[in-house]
Amino acid sequence: MFINSLLLLPYACLVRIKSFFPGFKGNSHTQEVCSTHWQALIDSVFPGDMLQSVVAVLLIFLQAVMLNRLVIKNRITKAYTLFPGMFYILLVSVFFDNLGLSIYTIANTFAIASLSSSFSIYKKYKPEIALFRSGFWTGLASLFAPFYLLLLVVNIISLSSLRTFSFRELLQILIGFWSTIIISFALVYFYEISTFWSSISLDHFTSISLPTLSPESIFLALMLLLVLISVMMNGTFLLRKSLPSKKKISMLYILLLTTPAILLANCGMNTNILYYLWIPMSIFVSMIVINFKNLLITEFLHLVLLAIIINNHFQFIQLI
């Protein structure tokens, strides 16, 4: 499966090919407003839009592989496929603003690592390292965008669901989380970065503004439909699954349940905030697809979606 996962790299390049064209500007004005300090740091470490596009593709490929590994290792789907990673690449590439390297592109790497650490605590004899890592990765992700603090809720509920709840183990999660914050405070103090905290917190909390009719709103309506289908198919997803798999699928639903709260830190309804939603939805969409009896329909729908995404990037045909 690892060798097959390498095929996701050229696939990611295909879906995000627009970002490699000359003149592409990866840093949207919304992204610059959302986190001035982080964006300046990204621009200094990775100068040039082309380099940032390459880094973004590599990060998304890595995240897709991590998702596939999480699904296969925890036996979440009834078949070993690359669908979760493939749909993840599609979802994070739908909107034009998602093609550049953003703080959310980076943060999702730590978010998936946090979820993987939470899942690994089931019946673990010594879970201290996994518990610490789940909190640590959550803290690291939340430094990039405050709504990733929602992962802390998922971590704590995972602890109570996958193990017998223990305040000592809860403390280990919180120690991992606060370790990131303390280290960050120390670095900010040492380098005298006075604008750091305001740039990653206050700027995110803005009012919601979404056009009444746009490709974005239509796609969001479609995604809402898929969310509802995923919820209604809960019984099907849990059918003939082992107890550990059922518990971990339930944790994905908890993660999905926390996603509406990202609107509280929407940063002018920046579509990049949906990176958080794409983590559970890429898995649920793959589970829906696997349950299709006719895979030809699946392939046809995939090609249609891929064509719509590429058309949305290049505007060959003006749909709206």
Side-chain angles (χ1 to χ4, degrees), residues 153-167:
V153 177
V154 180
N155 296 152
I156 295 172
I157 295 177
S158 296
L159 173 62
S160 60
S161 176
L162 300 177
R163 298 179 64 83
T164 302
F165 184 81
S166 166
F167 282 104

Side-chain angles (χ1 to χ4, degrees), residues 96-214:
F96 186 81
D97 284 347
N98 297 161
L99 297 183
L101 179 63
S102 69
I103 55 176
Y104 308 95
T105 316
I106 301 171
N108 252 32
T109 308
F110 306 123
I112 297 172
S114 173
L115 189 63
S116 180
S117 297
S118 293
F119 281 7
S120 67
I121 67 175
Y122 182 77
K123 286 191 174 180
K124 205 177 188 72
Y125 176 61
K126 291 185 177 182
E128 293 85 0
I129 294 178
L131 291 168
F132 179 87
R133 284 175 178 170
S134 66
F136 182 84
W137 295 129
T138 297
L140 203 53
S142 62
L143 287 177
F144 289 89
F147 61 74
Y148 282 97
L149 287 169
L150 296 169
L151 285 171
L152 200 57
V153 177
V154 180
N155 296 152
I156 295 172
I157 295 177
S158 296
L159 173 62
S160 60
S161 176
L162 300 177
R163 298 179 64 83
T164 302
F165 184 81
S166 166
F167 282 104
R168 177 189 175 190
E169 294 182 348
L170 172 61
L171 186 61
Q172 288 163 352
I173 294 176
L174 296 178
I175 289 173
F177 173 78
W178 282 107
S179 295
T180 310
I181 306 301
I182 292 171
I183 293 171
S184 301
F185 262 113
L187 291 174
V188 169
Y189 177 78
F190 181 79
Y191 289 104
E192 299 180 351
I193 310 174
S194 59
T195 61
F196 179 78
W197 296 112
S198 62
S199 69
I200 65 170
S201 57
L202 298 178
D203 293 338
H204 283 79
F205 298 93
T206 54
S207 59
I208 300 173
S209 58
L210 186 66
T212 55
L213 187 62
S214 65

Side-chain angles (χ1 to χ4, degrees), residues 281-300:
M281 281 311 300
S282 60
I283 298 175
F284 285 133
V285 171
S286 68
M287 295 171 76
I288 293 172
V289 166
I290 289 173
N291 279 281
F292 282 178
K293 293 182 179 180
N294 192 340
L295 289 180
L296 288 177
I297 298 177
T298 304
E299 288 296 336
F300 175 75

Side-chain angles (χ1 to χ4, degrees), residues 2 11 46 54 82 131 159 188 235 264 275 277 282 296-297 308:
F2 175 76
Y11 182 80
F46 305 109
V54 171
L82 302 179
L131 291 168
L159 173 62
V188 169
L264 299 175
Y275 266 89
L277 174 63
S282 60
L296 288 177
I297 298 177
I308 291 174

Side-chain angles (χ1 to χ4, degrees), residues 32-47:
E32 292 172 356
V33 170
C34 288
S35 185
T36 307
H37 174 78
W38 277 123
Q39 194 56 55
L41 183 61
I42 290 174
D43 291 338
S44 61
V45 176
F46 305 109

Side-chain angles (χ1 to χ4, degrees), residues 8-26:
L8 292 175
L9 182 56
Y11 182 80
C13 293
L14 170 65
V15 178
R16 303 173 71 87
I17 192 171
K18 174 66 176 179
S19 64
F20 297 114
F21 274 58
F24 171 77
K25 295 295 181 182

